[in-house]
Amino acid sequence: MEEPEPTDVVVIGMGPGGEYAAGALAEAGLHVTGVEARLVGGECPYFGCVPSKMMIRAANLLAETRRVPGLAGTSAVTPDWSTVARRIRDEATDDWNDKAAADRFAAKGGHLIRGHGRITGPGQVTVSTEAGTRVLAASKGIVIDSGTEPAIPPIHGLADTPYWTNRDIIQAEQVPESLIVLGGGAIGAELAQVFARFGSSVTVVEALPRLVPLEEPEASELIERVFAREGIEACTNAPAERVSYNGTHFTVHLGLSALVAERLLVATGRRSDLAALGVAAVGLDEKARAIPTDGWMRAADGVWALGDVTGHGAFTHMSMYQADIVVRDILGAGGEPADYRAVPRVTFTDPEIGSVGQTEEEARAAGLRVRTGLTQVPYSARGWIHKAGNDGLIKVIEDCDRSVLVGATSVGPYGGEVLSALQVAVRAEVPLTTLRNMPYAYPTFYRAIEDALLKLGSS
Ligand SMILES: Cc1cc2nc3c(=O)[nH]c(=O)nc-3n(C[C@H](O)[C@H](O)[C@H](O)COP(=O)(O)OP(=O)(O)OC[C@H]3O[C@@H](n4cnc5c(N)ncnc54)[C@H](O)[C@@H]3O)c2cc1C
């Protein structure tokens, strides 16, 4: 048995929040050991938010250019995927690479161990590295930021095929002539539109009755309409039953019908492997989907968890938000504990779907007396001016008993940016009378919020 190496804090997993927490604790003078099995920075900068948004930016630019009357349908706009792929691979990784992130951590005084960490007792983490096993003894605690991986559904035959996950499609150097996307959530919808705009014939397969099923039904309906207009086929209510691959093409069987495509992207959610993390050693349920935490992100005595693994939404901003709470708690710096009433989420399709707080269904299920207001962006002044590409809507959810918004959705050009005003309204519980009695700049997209508020109907 190796001699335990003393440290103050072990951070298992250097995703966005883990990297932040480890760096901040080290800067505060603690001896911090970061343990990372893959790349410092986690999923977001290499296989998630950053490269996917670079692809989306390129795809949107193409779509926007095609909207210019006279250019539409001509060869003036030639999609060049390889340039985008190269740019993502070279430029992005120049600025945001594993070595630079590791150097940044070291400059803050942190100690990085490359390997797989496993909790083997209270305050104890055993790391399997290429050079052998190291045992760490943390005097102050363990912070878990182990994130999530693509969840592969148990569809008959799927495991034997060379399917893509987000990690593969992000590195694709060529656009397949056809692509089936399994899963119509945020990641599936975003990547479906990117590849369709670069010339792939794309079909999205979703087991639930609508695309982006966690969002308001009006948002799903709108995005399905836009997808149909762009030639993206959406098969909803269509659980895949069997998958096969013949060496060049995938076949996805959906009950009586079957779809065939050159590539298959599996985007059916994310999973954590808590057993591999050894959480049972500190009394946590290793079969759970997520690690439950209190408001200070404490999961057990001397154990904190943050990020995707806590189950409060797989978002980089959530990981960073929770990391700040962990840092303050470990340093005894006080402040506010976690508050999940106004968690923002954005699906970066075109139009973007931004939402915050509760959906209408969630608010009603929570027993609130609810009124909703809905307005269409194309009928707003800015929407009318914008013309092509002006699809969008704003929906607000009011808790009538308190006269405040508890949720809102803004779909449209810059829908994620328009969301900011709605997030403040929900988070700060701004009274409706205040929201209704202030000028909204003309002619902005966010001005449509005023119209949605005016349209609040009876419960
Ligand atoms: C295609 C795609 C697009 C996305 N777009 C967005 C977006 O636009 N906006 C947004 O907010 N979010 C987005 N996300 C989600 C976002 O990437 C994650 O929520 C974010 O990375 C936060 O994750 P995390 O901190 O929980 O850890 P992760 O980023 O998952 O990182 C966890 C790290 O822990 C390491 N690890 C795990 N177990 C161990 C172990 N036992 N020992 C050592 N190391 C370990 C892993 O190697 C990994 O590096 C996207 C995700 C994907 C896949």
Side-chain angles (χ1 to χ4, degrees), residues 420-435:
S420 58
L422 293 162
Q423 186 189 3
V424 173
V426 173
R427 177 64 183 86
E429 301 181 344
V430 180
L432 268 188
T433 45
T434 309
L435 291 175

Side-chain angles (χ1 to χ4, degrees), residues 11-18 35-45 47-50 52-53 113 115-118 127 145-149 166-167 170 187 190-191 270 276-277 306-309 313-320 346 348:
V11 178
I12 306 177
M14 296 282 275
V35 181
E36 174 52 57
R38 286 158 59 94
L39 299 167
V40 179
E43 197 82 2
C44 174
F47 309 111
C49 336
V50 176
S52 65
K53 263 81 262 178
I113 300 180
H116 183 272
R118 183 179 168 82
V127 189
D145 177 34
S146 50
T148 49
E149 313 200 335
N166 64 293
R167 292 177 185 170
I170 291 292
I187 293 173
E190 287 179 5
L191 292 169
R270 314 280 302 173
L277 204 55
L306 63 93
D308 290 8
V309 77
F315 308 116
T316 291
H317 47 268
M318 186 52 68
S319 179
M320 304 291 287
V346 179
F348 290 87

Side-chain angles (χ1 to χ4, degrees), residues 25-103:
L25 291 170
E27 278 185 313
L30 297 186
H31 188 287
V32 181
T33 308
V35 181
E36 174 52 57
R38 286 158 59 94
L39 299 167
V40 179
E43 197 82 2
C44 174
Y46 307 105
F47 309 111
C49 336
V50 176
S52 65
K53 263 81 262 178
M54 289 176 79
M55 291 171 166
I56 287 167
R57 165 80 178 128
N60 287 0
L61 217 50
L62 269 180
E64 192 70 353
T65 312
R66 288 174 184 144
R67 285 173 187 145
V68 177
L71 278 185
T74 75
S75 58
V77 185
T78 310
D80 178 10
W81 178 258
S82 60
T83 308
V84 176
R86 214 173 311 119
R87 190 174 146 227
I88 290 164
R89 194 186 57 226
D90 299 341
E91 288 181 29
T93 50
D94 273 356
D95 295 336
W96 227 316
N97 63 48
D98 173 66
K99 184 178 176 310
D103 289 348

Side-chain angles (χ1 to χ4, degrees), residues 286-312:
E286 63 176 29
K287 295 203 180 77
R289 286 174 61 90
I291 299 178
T293 52
D294 67 11
W296 292 98
M297 310 317 302
R298 297 177 198 152
D301 201 22
V303 181
W304 287 259
L306 63 93
D308 290 8
V309 77
T310 65
H312 285 285

Side-chain angles (χ1 to χ4, degrees), residues 335-403:
E336 296 290 318
D339 185 321
Y340 299 113
R341 281 173 298 175
V343 176
R345 41 190 195 276
V346 179
T347 300
F348 290 87
T349 41
D350 174 16
E352 292 178 358
I353 306 168
S355 52
V356 62
Q358 293 172 311
T359 60
E360 179 181 352
E361 190 184 333
E362 287 166 349
R364 290 192 192 282
L368 300 185
R369 205 160 57 82
V370 162
R371 286 195 311 173
T372 65
L374 179 71
T375 192
Q376 301 294 332
V377 169
Y379 302 130
S380 68
R382 179 58 180 274
W384 184 86
I385 291 164
H386 197 75
K387 297 274 187 305
N390 66 0
D391 306 274
L393 59 87
I394 301 224
K395 180 173 177 179
V396 290
I397 319 294
E398 181 197 0
D399 172 357
C400 301
D401 292 329
R402 292 186 302 138
S403 242

